[in-house]
Amino acid sequence: MSNLVSDLVSRGAKSVPAHFVRPVGDRPSVTEEEEGSSTRESSFTMIDLQGLHGPNRATILNTIHEACKNDGFFLIKNHGIPDDVVDGMMEVSRDFFRLPESERLKTYSEDTTRTVRLSCSFNVNKEEVGSWRDYLRLHCYPLEDYVRDWPSHPPSFRQTASEYCIRVRNLVLELLEALSESLGLETNHLNDALGGHGQHMAINYYPPCPQPELTYGLPGHTDPNALTILLQDDVPGLQVLKGGKWVRLNPIPKVFIVNIGDQIQVLSNGVYKSVLHRALVNSERERISIPTFYCPSPDAVIRPADGLVDEQHPPLYRSYHYREYYENFWDHGLNDQSCIEKFSI
């Protein structure tokens, strides 16, 4: 029998099994959700990338700087990825999770080192409480090293997802240059700091939950990578910790959400913040989100940029290989204590 949450739901589950139930003090708060609804996405900065290479570049870079320093999240529009590419990625993702169980399970694995795998929750081998999520995780760069192992169904999956991954990578490279300049560093600093680069994508599937007040799609966590680009369908669920409160960040058509990961917090010597965020579920509608996690290569040495360290600003983190950090992240699990603290000086 499948361990997938979606198959549990399809078998008619009327309540949340015990191993998904969060402790009483760590459950979604309906009151918090209602209070956050009035401030939601309007309280996060929207960046129009159309003007990034024009005369207003300095102003846009300053806006990015303030968003990364204060919120760790911002939104981008006019990002250059065509609507048909975005819509196609969402369509094949939805089609994948509608495949028969036997087809989906061909990629199922609980081995976190696998470069292509379908699984549920986060790390079922380590966690005590599960999360109401199935996900397909794919390594995407270099694309030619991985694409042949991706699911062959739906038939258009590999071609559609490949096009999306290539487009998102180009967008990330543009953003890395902007982030470098916004920190006062050389344009290529962050690009070079990531070594040979890495790119992963998760297709998160959150089925309707019979008791959404008892569990999370994902509990509060920060991202271990450098930069995350998030595509969402039209169902709300993302919350970001801002000003000590959980604030909704609802989907906006044709807009991506960008968030700073732990590696850029380290590379910026703490100037830019990797902040807690979480996913809620609901009882009525499935939800799909597709984050692209842009990473250093495993052998990249990560440390605060020399240009951001002096007597008044000593290094806050020790140097390490990204491989060490990534392994710690999967062992550490998802909780409100970021893995980054283990690397603090």
Side-chain angles (χ1 to χ4, degrees):
M1 183 177 292
S2 167
N3 291 324
L4 295 173
V5 178
S6 53
D7 295 324
L8 176 68
V9 172
S10 68
R11 292 193 294 269
K14 302 299 183 184
S15 61
V16 172
H19 64 280
F20 288 103
V21 176
R22 308 296 301 186
V24 173
D26 181 26
R27 294 178 182 175
S29 169
V30 174
T31 302
E32 274 187 329
E33 173 72 3
E34 289 174 347
E35 289 177 350
S37 64
S38 62
T39 54
R40 50 191 182 187
E41 67 276 357
S42 61
S43 66
F44 291 89
T45 302
M46 177 73 77
I47 306 291
D48 186 345
L49 292 186
Q50 196 168 37
L52 188 59
H53 298 289
N56 295 324
R57 183 175 177 85
T59 300
I60 295 173
L61 292 179
N62 183 64
T63 303
I64 290 174
H65 178 83
E66 292 300 313
C68 296
K69 182 175 70 172
N70 297 322
D71 299 333
F73 272 74
F74 58 93
L75 302 96
I76 55 173
K77 63 181 181 179
N78 294 321
H79 42 69
I81 301 181
D83 291 349
D84 63 331
V85 174
V86 174
D87 294 342
M89 186 66 229
M90 187 59 69
E91 182 177 356
V92 295
S93 299
R94 188 172 288 109
D95 288 348
F96 174 83
F97 281 99
R98 290 176 178 169
L99 291 171
E101 178 182 315
S102 58
E103 183 66 36
R104 283 179 286 126
L105 288 177
K106 290 179 180 179
T107 54
Y108 185 85
S109 175
E110 296 176 3
D111 181 356
T112 60
T113 66
R114 290 276 299 272
T115 59
V116 178
R117 67 188 184 98
L118 174 69
S119 194
C120 61
S121 190
F122 174 68
N123 184 354
V124 295
N125 296 315
K126 296 283 186 178
E127 61 199 9
E128 296 180 3
V129 182
S131 298
W132 200 261
R133 173 186 78 139
D134 294 339
Y135 64 96
L136 177 65
R137 192 173 182 97
L138 308 170
H139 285 218
C140 312
Y141 181 80
L143 187 61
E144 60 272 14
D145 290 353
Y146 301 113
V147 67
R148 63 182 176 273
D149 297 322
W150 289 2
S152 56
H153 289 89
S156 62
F157 185 90
R158 291 179 182 176
Q159 180 178 350
T160 300
S162 293
E163 176 67 15
Y164 179 78
C165 289
I166 291 168
R167 298 274 191 169
V168 171
R169 181 171 185 267
N170 290 336
L171 172 62
V172 170
L173 295 178
E174 183 179 26
L175 289 172
L176 287 174
E177 291 185 350
L179 289 170
S180 293
E181 291 183 32
S182 73
L183 284 164
L185 302 171
E186 293 294 325
T187 301
N188 290 329
H189 182 90
L190 292 178
N191 193 325
D192 294 343
L194 301 186
H197 293 212
Q199 181 180 351
H200 306 166
M201 179 168 65
I203 302 174
N204 296 322
Y205 180 75
Y206 303 99
C209 178
Q211 296 172 293
E213 71 279 6
L214 298 182
T215 191
Y216 290 109
L218 281 174
H221 65 282
T222 63
D223 289 349
N225 48 290
L227 199 66
T228 301
I229 309 294
L230 179 66
L231 168 64
Q232 304 184 86
D233 65 9
D234 62 343
V235 180
L238 175 63
Q239 288 187 327
V240 178
L241 190 63
K242 181 174 182 177
K245 294 183 179 181
W246 289 103
V247 179
R248 289 165 54 183
L249 188 40
N250 287 349
I252 302 174
K254 302 182 181 179
V255 167
F256 285 116
I257 295 170
V258 181
N259 67 277
I260 298 298
D262 293 349
Q263 304 317 304
I264 286 185
Q265 179 167 323
V266 172
L267 291 164
S268 71
N269 201 31
V271 176
Y272 288 173
K273 302 298 189 291
S274 177
V275 304
L276 291 169
H277 52 286
R278 66 188 187 185
L280 274 58
V281 290
N282 70 86
S283 60
E284 298 178 356
R285 300 180 65 189
E286 65 183 15
R287 175 174 178 258
I288 292 178
S289 71
I290 307 174
T292 293
F293 304 110
Y294 207 79
C295 320
S297 55
D299 60 350
V301 177
I302 305 299
R303 60 186 178 87
D306 290 342
L308 300 175
V309 174
D310 56 31
E311 290 185 4
Q312 287 73 40
H313 305 90
L316 300 179
Y317 308 98
R318 67 173 175 85
S319 64
Y320 54 85
H321 289 94
Y322 181 60
R323 178 184 294 105
E324 179 188 359
Y325 195 98
Y326 193 65
E327 291 171 354
N328 264 273
F329 170 75
W330 283 100
D331 288 339
H332 180 76
L334 297 186
N335 57 63
D336 58 8
Q337 296 297 316
S338 171
C339 184
I340 204 169
E341 301 304 326
K342 296 181 179 180
F343 296 82
S344 300
I345 294 176

